[in-house]
Amino acid sequence: MTQHDTSRQPQRPTTTNPLDQPETDTPSGSTDCPAQWASLYTLLAEAFKHPDKRFYEDVRQGRFGAELDQLANTLSLSLPDDGAADTVPETTAAFDNEYITLYEGLTTPYAPVVESVYRHWHGDARSDGLLSGPAAADMRHRYEAAAMTPPRGYEPDHLALLFEYAAALLRADQHSAYRTFVAQHLDWLPALRQLTTAAAATAPFHTYCVDVACECVTAVFEREHIAPPRQAAIETMHDRAMRHIE
């Protein structure tokens, strides 16, 4: 798979990154293959960014699917069948339009890929909102502590950035921090999957990516022995998101 346009990547300054300081805890579960998991998270992050022409061609020519299959085989992951590349539209603009329709509400209902939408906000009902909630605030603090700058145009708790942050933790051998991060920031994906299923958009590739992401995160929870979200919690996150997007 070819390198993607760096304008779609989070801007990382050249200052010392605290994530570069390794921990001494022993990896387990998904962190038995940290480099491969980090590569998988990075690939998924690309899938959840606004698609540029190069990424569009990677999908259309099968390079994205081939890389995903290779990583899934290496990590012994069972992923949904990939027929999505066969239904990619004729142009990059149409591909991006499908992304916007599914994830950003060009039509409703839709399926936001921003964590705050699904989370309870602190304070009374008047403090409740759609974006920039406690999850976003936590991610801003994490970026500041790591001397990292999230890219313009993305909420700090956008799923693409969450995946990139998970990859950064693995590459820095921050296994305990990685496990905590996954438990705290990726447990809402089943609610996202429910919204994707009910969304008005016809976006086969992007819907497929949600399915893949959910299967990957489910595997991480199992292999890291992290308690998965209860069904009641998933329904609460789903219902909260629905109140804001209908």
Side-chain angles (χ1 to χ4, degrees):
M1 184 171 172
T2 58
Q3 289 284 66
H4 298 301
D5 185 348
T6 56
S7 66
R8 299 177 68 233
Q9 302 286 347
Q11 303 166 11
R12 293 192 170 90
T14 57
T15 54
T16 301
N17 190 332
L19 291 179
D20 291 335
Q21 305 303 316
E23 292 180 345
T24 57
D25 58 327
T26 302
S28 62
S30 67
T31 46
D32 282 339
C33 303
Q36 289 77 14
W37 277 100
S39 294
L40 178 59
Y41 281 127
T42 300
L43 187 65
L44 290 174
E46 287 298 300
F48 284 97
K49 295 176 184 177
H50 273 279
D52 58 17
K53 183 173 178 59
R54 189 169 296 178
F55 181 73
Y56 169 75
E57 290 298 332
D58 281 339
V59 174
R60 191 172 176 83
Q61 300 300 323
R63 291 186 289 269
F64 174 88
E67 186 172 345
L68 180 61
D69 287 344
Q70 182 179 20
L71 288 167
N73 289 335
T74 300
L75 296 168
S76 300
L77 292 172
S78 178
L79 298 182
D81 292 336
D82 180 13
D86 297 332
T87 59
V88 172
E90 293 293 330
T91 66
T92 306
F95 192 49
D96 188 54
N97 188 69
E98 290 185 353
Y99 176 101
I100 295 170
T101 303
L102 179 61
Y103 296 146
E104 298 182 355
L106 192 60
T107 60
T108 58
Y110 67 108
V113 285
V114 177
E115 184 182 1
S116 287
V117 179
Y118 300 82
R119 298 294 193 190
H120 174 73
W121 285 39
H122 303 310
D124 60 27
R126 289 173 298 178
S127 69
D128 190 55
L130 183 62
L131 303 176
S132 297
D138 179 64
M139 290 308 302
R140 287 192 193 94
H141 293 152
R142 288 174 179 270
Y143 294 136
E144 291 171 2
M148 298 167 67
T149 304
R152 290 177 296 177
Y154 291 89
E155 290 291 322
D157 56 339
H158 190 284
L159 184 55
L161 306 193
L162 299 182
F163 281 145
E164 288 195 334
Y165 191 87
L169 289 172
L170 286 176
R171 292 189 174 108
D173 294 328
Q174 297 275 357
H175 301 118
S176 292
Y178 161 74
R179 189 176 184 277
T180 300
F181 177 79
V182 168
Q184 292 179 346
H185 282 281
L186 295 179
D187 64 332
W188 55 279
L189 266 66
L192 167 63
R193 194 177 206 171
Q194 289 184 3
L195 289 182
T196 303
T197 300
T202 300
F205 172 78
H206 304 297
T207 299
Y208 168 74
C209 288
V210 172
D211 289 338
V212 168
C214 286
E215 293 301 323
C216 291
V217 171
T218 296
V220 171
F221 271 71
E222 291 175 353
R223 298 181 190 190
E224 291 290 336
H225 306 291
I226 300 170
R230 295 179 180 273
Q231 187 60 37
I234 296 171
E235 294 301 329
T236 297
M237 289 186 282
H238 169 270
D239 292 347
R240 185 192 180 282
M242 285 295 294
R243 289 198 301 272
H244 290 280
I245 66 175
E246 288 183 322

